[in-house]
Amino acid sequence: MKISILEFDIQKDKYKNLEIINNHLKNISTKEKSDLIILPELSSNGYLFENRDELSKTAENIKDGIFINGISEISKEYNTSIIAGFAEKFEDKIYNSAVIIDKGNIKGIYRKIHLSDF
């Protein structure tokens, strides 16, 4: 099994982060493809928020989130598994979560207890 870890300058813009991730993977040759790609914690939108309202606006539901849907598509396109961190809205809470997606399908989620002081 080949595992890759991708570090990048995470932006507050989910679309930009998806573009950055996709561009990194696009530039890898077929023989260098990985079975599992691990992205940074909170790779959807980073860590720095002015307040809880700002964090709440960028957090997303795992079933219909922009970032999760984008990572699912990338996982399917590159026929790989991806672990990605994101700010997750679940019920009335926000979690620092990680999701594992295999070839476009969500396989599991882990929710950290602490996200920030907000």
Side-chain angles (χ1 to χ4, degrees), residues 5 12 20 26 31 34 37-40 42 45-47 50 53 61 67 75 88 92 99 101 116:
I5 299 171
K12 284 191 174 183
I20 291 167
K26 192 183 302 182
K31 67 181 179 179
S34 296
I37 299 160
I38 302 171
L39 301 177
L42 290 173
N45 51 3
Y47 279 92
E50 295 294 321
D53 288 339
N61 181 297
F67 185 77
S75 171
E88 180 191 16
D92 63 340
V99 63
I101 300 173
S116 68

Side-chain angles (χ1 to χ4, degrees), residues 57-73:
K57 288 176 187 172
T58 190
E60 61 184 46
N61 181 297
I62 193 162
K63 293 179 182 170
D64 57 9
I66 294 165
F67 185 77
I68 298 302
N69 287 335
I71 290 297
S72 294
E73 289 301 313

